[in-house]
Amino acid sequence: GNLVGKNCQSFIVCVEYQILIIYLNIMEESMEANNEKIHQMKVLVEKLREASKAYYAQDREIMSNLEYDALYDELLTLEQETGMVLAGSPTISVGYEAVDELPKEAHESPMLSLDKTKEREALKDWLGDKDGLLSWKLDGLTIVLTYQNGELLKAVTRGNGEVGEVITNNAKVFKNIPLKIQFQGELILRGEAVITYHDFKEINSHIEDVEAKYKNPRNLCSGSVRQLNNQITAERNVRFYAFALVKADGVDFENSREKQFEFLTNQGFDIVAYVKVNTDSIVAAVSDYEERVQTYEVPSDGLVLIYDDIAYGRSLGRTSKFPRDSIAFKWADEIRETTLKEIEWSPSRTGLINPVAIFEPVELEGTTVSRASVHNISILKALKLGIGDKITVYKANMIIPQIAENLTRSENIEIPSVCPVCGGATEIRAVNEVQSLYCSNSNCDAKKIKSFTHFVGRDAMNIDGLSEATLEKFIAKGFIHQYQDIFHLDRYKSDIVAMEGFGERSYKKLINSIETARDVELPKLIFSLGIANIGLANAKVICRFYDFNLESLRCATVEELAMIDGIGEVIAKAFVDYFSNEENNKRFDNLLAEIRIQKEEINAEEQTLEGKTFVITGNLNHFGSRNELKDLIEKKGGKVAGSVSSKTLCLINNDSTSNSSKNKKAKELNVSIVTEEEFMKAYLNMEV
């Protein structure tokens, strides 16, 4: 009996041990799986944050809407499975960080995103037995307006939902914002700043270079609203449509959102177009909007549904990201099937070689589309792209062509081992686990794009029609290797005319601009070379010192140049080093064969500002720009510096009471601050 008992006991211990081992293995596997999920969450958070930052703060796109939504949903699923939410997750944060150029201000109440759906029945279920207001979801920049005593007090962008950018001066020049209203209490409302398709096309029609044209109305609007100079904002025809009333002291709205809209309309605001709906009418109303969006002049990327009953909506509360009293409906993208013809590899100034999909042309959102960026090697591999594959394409936000899906997935694309521009070896690099293709040749012509962009700039050779993006294309095709090649682009007429977005008219304007640029002033020519620390002002000073004699310039010594006021040894050495380089001189001689230097005649009697240094800041009333005033000062022998110092004679600023850093510095150094008019009278002998 004892033996049996001992055997049973041993058996039980053995079984318990085996169970423990199995349990530990399961736990280990579970922990490994959980760790993998957490790692994937970190990757997704970083990707989504970068995409949001690019889209909202930098007005560019690094991934498609479909890809963003898919990654967002994947992250949300992982958070639900793990019960964890990482810091900085886009599921609990909204918007973008305000940029430093504009003052920042915290919102009185957080501005949240909206939960979304693409299903019409989901809208119906969400609304239930309540009445709702269905309106456009406008695609622009969200703005908060505050009025006090009947006047516009301030305007602030949405920013990151907690802190926005103060753009009051810009809002005052929006086309349809009332600066004064009848209501005298404190009024706070939210709305969308937008630029209509008509104005967007009109603005783009005046930009000849296709690569310099604005990509979509939202990006144009975002940049227009956040300008430091509101004259630019005024020229862009920005409009404001109110979509929410936040506060109106002492007004009874009878618990109705619709009454709030009526109140705002009576105050002179344009409100977002809406219709009142219930469970029986919601689906038909969405269909009606879907038909109207095809011809609607204001950019819209969906609809918004909100409960008309204010108290009921507020009683639902909110999540960390979404209010529960409203929901967004996103339009389903128009998707077309086509055939992939080739992958074009496009080098850039950073060495990055971007894959671009070329496919059989299809009609999307009213335009013919035949190419779409694939962005990087990771996306190329994920799509398993191959020549001849059947793919589906769409336009993100009805603007930017993207590949939605690869139906064939033959995966036969060969990644080039050499750069298409210089023939140098390529390499795949992973940054944040995203693989991209790079040219490894540090002397690749494509990497010299910045020097060419500088060369054709307005203050240099001033050649219109050669944006950075266009230069990249020309360099990639082998049209440009050195500066002088720009003056022989007529050799590639047929190729250029056939390029997307160019045509005969754009080509002629480019060639005319190049011919005009052959006549150039010496300071601009010197500045165009991109010599370290040699700005246009320094180039002018050096040219004057040598009486605009080019050979004297090329033979200058460090000792001579260092004697010039404002030049110094560092700048002098950079200048002398440039012209001591045999290769630089060879390229410069080649360039000289293409141009005609216009000698600037100096009237000694007009050099009334010689030896005097000025600083200009703020907006001007009598000159088109600061550069215009700067040129006039320099022609009279003066110098315009970028910062106030003890050598500054005076600071030109129409707002002497501002707290700008230049004003503070001028007061510290006892440098006089004069208005534009005072300067013109005292130093230019001009009557104002």
Side-chain angles (χ1 to χ4, degrees), residues 249-348:
D249 291 337
V251 182
D252 180 11
F253 296 110
E254 302 174 24
N255 194 38
S256 169
R257 295 283 183 191
E258 188 170 29
K259 294 292 184 183
Q260 290 182 337
F261 276 152
E262 292 172 357
F263 169 80
L264 291 174
T265 301
N266 291 334
Q267 297 302 315
F269 294 98
D270 287 338
I271 62 170
V272 61
Y274 74 92
V275 61
K276 197 167 186 177
V277 295
N278 56 34
T279 188
D280 295 325
S281 62
I282 179 69
V283 174
V286 172
S287 297
D288 181 55
Y289 272 106
E290 187 176 32
E291 289 184 14
R292 290 160 56 195
V293 76
Q294 305 301 325
T295 55
Y296 192 49
E297 264 300 297
V298 182
S300 167
D301 58 356
L303 304 173
V304 174
L305 177 61
I306 188 169
Y307 293 116
D308 183 49
D309 188 325
I310 297 173
Y312 175 73
R314 287 176 178 168
S315 72
L316 299 175
R318 70 184 198 193
T319 68
S320 60
K321 185 174 182 180
F322 306 126
R324 291 195 173 99
D325 67 346
S326 50
I327 188 172
F329 174 81
K330 300 277 285 184
W331 301 116
D333 296 299
E334 182 180 359
I335 296 179
R336 292 284 182 269
E337 184 177 316
T338 184
T339 302
L340 182 66
K341 295 169 61 180
E342 65 173 301
I343 293 291
E344 179 182 282
W345 298 92
S346 178
S348 70

Side-chain angles (χ1 to χ4, degrees), residues 340-532:
L340 182 66
K341 295 169 61 180
E342 65 173 301
I343 293 291
E344 179 182 282
W345 298 92
S346 178
S348 70
R349 63 185 178 278
T350 63
L352 179 66
I353 304 176
N354 295 300
V356 179
I358 312 298
F359 45 81
E360 292 291 344
V362 290
E363 289 292 318
L364 276 177
E365 312 292 352
T367 62
T368 302
V369 178
S370 61
R371 56 194 292 126
S373 175
V374 188
H375 302 293
N376 54 55
I377 299 299
S378 292
I379 294 176
L380 182 82
K381 290 180 177 179
L383 287 169
K384 295 186 177 180
L385 291 174
I387 305 303
D389 279 354
K390 294 295 181 182
I391 59 174
T392 57
V393 294
Y394 73 105
K395 276 189 177 182
N397 289 333
M398 302 184 180
I399 298 292
I400 303 171
Q402 302 281 353
I403 296 177
E405 189 180 2
N406 182 6
L407 305 177
T408 313
R409 301 175 73 82
S410 64
E411 201 172 8
N412 62 25
I413 299 295
E414 289 189 16
I415 298 173
S417 58
V418 296
C419 172
V421 171
C422 69
T426 62
E427 59 185 24
I428 296 176
R429 302 175 195 165
V431 179
N432 294 326
E433 300 190 14
V434 174
Q435 292 185 333
S436 299
L437 187 66
Y438 288 85
C439 172
S440 61
N441 177 15
S442 59
N443 293 316
C444 177
D445 283 340
K447 294 181 181 180
K448 300 174 185 175
I449 184 65
K450 279 294 182 186
S451 65
F452 286 105
T453 304
H454 176 84
F455 179 79
V456 302
R458 184 181 60 183
D459 291 334
M461 298 301 290
N462 192 24
I463 301 177
D464 288 332
L466 283 180
S467 69
E468 192 167 300
T470 299
L471 282 166
E472 281 192 34
K473 289 183 178 179
F474 285 2
I475 291 170
K477 290 181 177 294
F479 299 168
I480 299 172
H481 296 280
Q482 294 188 29
Y483 294 142
Q484 75 267 19
D485 295 332
I486 291 174
F487 295 92
H488 295 287
L489 285 174
D490 54 342
R491 297 169 179 169
Y492 308 100
K493 177 181 178 179
S494 59
D495 296 282
I496 294 173
V497 170
M499 288 174 64
E500 185 177 0
F502 240 89
E504 188 75 34
R505 183 183 174 191
S506 295
Y507 168 80
K508 286 182 179 178
K509 289 200 171 187
L510 171 61
I511 297 302
N512 289 339
S513 181
I514 290 172
E515 288 306 310
T516 301
R518 288 185 184 274
D519 295 303
V520 61
E521 296 173 357
L522 185 58
K524 290 192 172 186
L525 174 63
I526 297 300
F527 173 64
S528 75
L529 301 177
I531 303 171

Side-chain angles (χ1 to χ4, degrees), residues 67-310:
E67 184 181 358
Y68 184 93
D69 288 345
L71 295 179
Y72 182 95
D73 291 341
E74 182 184 351
L75 176 61
L76 196 60
T77 300
L78 289 171
E79 288 177 346
Q80 292 169 349
E81 290 176 358
T82 61
M84 293 180 62
V85 179
L86 301 175
S89 170
T91 64
I92 59 167
S93 60
V94 294
Y96 61 91
E97 293 298 322
V99 295
D100 295 329
E101 285 82 354
L102 292 167
K104 299 176 185 177
E105 182 171 305
H107 297 298
E108 287 191 12
S109 58
M111 299 183 66
L112 305 177
S113 298
L114 293 179
D115 200 0
K116 62 182 182 295
T117 181
K118 291 186 178 181
E119 303 298 326
R120 299 172 194 219
E121 288 300 320
L123 282 185
K124 184 176 180 179
D125 293 340
W126 182 90
L127 186 59
D129 60 357
K130 301 291 182 181
D131 287 338
L133 303 182
L134 186 66
S135 63
W136 295 110
K137 183 177 182 294
L138 301 182
D139 192 18
L141 195 69
T142 301
I143 308 292
V144 185
L145 301 181
T146 300
Y147 288 77
Q148 284 186 355
N149 301 319
E151 295 189 0
L152 177 62
L153 176 67
K154 63 183 175 182
V156 184
T157 67
R158 175 187 177 188
N160 66 359
E162 299 287 342
V163 177
E165 303 148 312
V166 180
I167 48 96
T168 310
N169 287 337
N170 294 344
K172 288 179 178 179
V173 297
F174 287 0
K175 290 300 177 184
N176 61 339
I177 279 186
L179 299 182
K180 292 186 178 182
I181 59 176
Q182 292 180 344
F183 182 69
Q184 295 298 300
E186 184 176 39
L187 173 66
I188 303 176
L189 67 150
R190 295 172 180 168
E192 199 82 354
V194 297
I195 291 178
T196 65
Y197 285 115
H198 175 271
D199 288 328
F200 170 71
K201 292 173 183 175
E202 178 67 20
I203 291 168
N204 263 349
S205 70
H206 296 291
I207 302 174
E208 293 299 331
D209 181 1
V210 66
E211 297 297 341
K213 292 179 184 289
Y214 295 98
K215 303 303 180 186
N216 56 61
R218 191 204 72 83
N219 285 3
L220 174 58
C221 181
S222 178
S224 302
V225 168
R226 295 153 69 194
Q227 286 288 328
L228 297 180
N229 182 354
N230 68 354
Q231 180 181 353
I232 298 174
T233 307
E235 294 169 352
R236 301 284 177 78
N237 290 341
V238 179
R239 289 172 169 78
F240 176 87
Y241 292 93
F243 60 67
L245 190 149
V246 179
K247 182 181 181 182
D249 291 337
V251 182
D252 180 11
F253 296 110
E254 302 174 24
N255 194 38
S256 169
R257 295 283 183 191
E258 188 170 29
K259 294 292 184 183
Q260 290 182 337
F261 276 152
E262 292 172 357
F263 169 80
L264 291 174
T265 301
N266 291 334
Q267 297 302 315
F269 294 98
D270 287 338
I271 62 170
V272 61
Y274 74 92
V275 61
K276 197 167 186 177
V277 295
N278 56 34
T279 188
D280 295 325
S281 62
I282 179 69
V283 174
V286 172
S287 297
D288 181 55
Y289 272 106
E290 187 176 32
E291 289 184 14
R292 290 160 56 195
V293 76
Q294 305 301 325
T295 55
Y296 192 49
E297 264 300 297
V298 182
S300 167
D301 58 356
L303 304 173
V304 174
L305 177 61
I306 188 169
Y307 293 116
D308 183 49
D309 188 325
I310 297 173

Side-chain angles (χ1 to χ4, degrees), residues 530-579:
I531 303 171
N533 301 311
I534 303 295
L536 183 57
N538 287 335
K540 289 178 179 178
V541 170
I542 293 172
C543 288
R544 288 195 186 103
F545 182 81
Y546 287 99
D547 195 27
F548 294 86
N549 186 298
L550 180 56
E551 288 309 310
S552 297
L553 278 170
R554 296 179 74 170
C555 297
T557 66
V558 173
E559 292 73 23
E560 287 175 347
L561 289 167
M563 291 170 54
I564 304 173
D565 183 40
I567 297 301
E569 189 171 340
V570 173
I571 297 176
K573 188 175 185 308
F575 189 90
V576 172
D577 285 349
Y578 184 89
F579 284 108

